[in-house]
Amino acid sequence: PPSDYDKPRVMVVGKMPMSDDFELMRNLSGAAGELVRDILENNGVSEDEYAWWYVCNIVRWPQLNPQSGALSQKWIKDCLPLLHQEIRLWQPDYILCFGAEAAKTVCGKSNTLKSMAGRWVSLDFNRNLPDEEPVIHTAKAMAIMSPSAVLRSTEKLPQFEASLKKFVQLVRGVDFM
């Protein structure tokens, strides 16, 4: 695993890459990413700091059926080992889940966006390989609506900004619960 100096403290987990993200091979590269970066900057997170955040998705390819917003459970199941491996390797201190599917996948099916609104949960991960003695790493995770949802319904922007601000406070050591 990377040293504490090399690992990102923050992991951001989204649903899936948008078509722009897939073409550019970079997550949050379009309007959704710009929205997130603007709000983070307004809350004291510099571009240099954000550049060290690890951003990934549950599913690694764009939605193949543009008529459907939901992810196939088979796709999630197929991609889940990679997400677990990323968490194990990077050992983030904080995880930000964008959207309901990311919240349920990372934090457990009982953790919905509504139930996690304004709060964080503590998650324990085994950071060793399956045949090794378990060494547990704990991360604090929050779930907020997806920036793509905000772009589709701009009346949600104030709630999204407030939620992202709370996440920044959590990363800065402010325990707001």
Side-chain angles (χ1 to χ4, degrees):
S3 75
D4 286 343
Y5 299 105
D6 297 331
K7 72 176 190 153
R9 292 183 62 222
V10 176
M11 176 183 253
V12 179
V13 181
K15 178 178 175 177
M16 66 186 161
M18 304 309 290
S19 56
D20 290 346
D21 300 335
F22 195 72
E23 288 173 22
L24 295 171
M25 298 174 70
R26 180 174 173 247
N27 289 310
L28 293 174
S29 62
E34 189 175 320
L35 174 67
V36 170
R37 286 187 296 278
D38 287 348
I39 294 170
L40 289 173
E41 262 186 47
N42 290 339
N43 286 284
V45 177
S46 71
E47 190 175 326
D48 288 341
E49 181 181 356
Y50 176 74
W52 277 97
W53 290 17
Y54 184 82
V55 182
C56 63
N57 292 296
I58 302 167
V59 171
R60 307 309 165 114
W61 53 85
Q63 178 60 274
L64 301 176
N65 177 3
Q67 307 306 318
S68 175
L71 289 178
S72 156
Q73 289 303 307
K74 181 181 178 341
W75 292 356
I76 294 172
K77 182 180 176 190
D78 289 348
C79 294
L80 199 55
L82 182 55
L83 179 62
H84 287 166
Q85 182 75 331
E86 289 169 313
I87 292 170
R88 186 186 75 73
L89 289 173
W90 290 117
Q91 302 168 34
D93 298 320
Y94 305 95
I95 300 175
L96 176 61
C97 300
F98 280 144
E101 287 170 299
K104 289 178 183 178
T105 301
V106 173
C107 303
K109 294 202 183 297
S110 64
N111 288 303
T112 63
L113 277 181
K114 189 174 182 178
S115 73
M116 292 186 70
R119 68 182 193 91
W120 56 268
V121 295
S122 183
L123 300 175
D124 291 333
F125 300 98
N126 182 4
R127 59 182 222 191
N128 288 17
L129 294 172
D131 58 341
E132 296 177 341
E133 188 71 29
V135 176
I136 303 301
H137 175 76
T138 301
K140 293 179 180 177
M142 277 188 71
I144 66 174
M145 73 182 75
S146 129
S148 298
V150 175
L151 293 174
R152 287 190 302 273
S153 303
T154 55
E155 70 276 2
K156 296 178 179 179
L157 181 60
Q159 180 187 354
F160 182 74
E161 288 176 319
S163 298
L164 197 49
K165 181 179 182 176
K166 278 195 179 273
F167 182 75
V168 170
Q169 290 174 332
L170 180 65
V171 172
R172 297 282 190 254
V174 176
D175 190 356
F176 49 82
M177 291 199 333

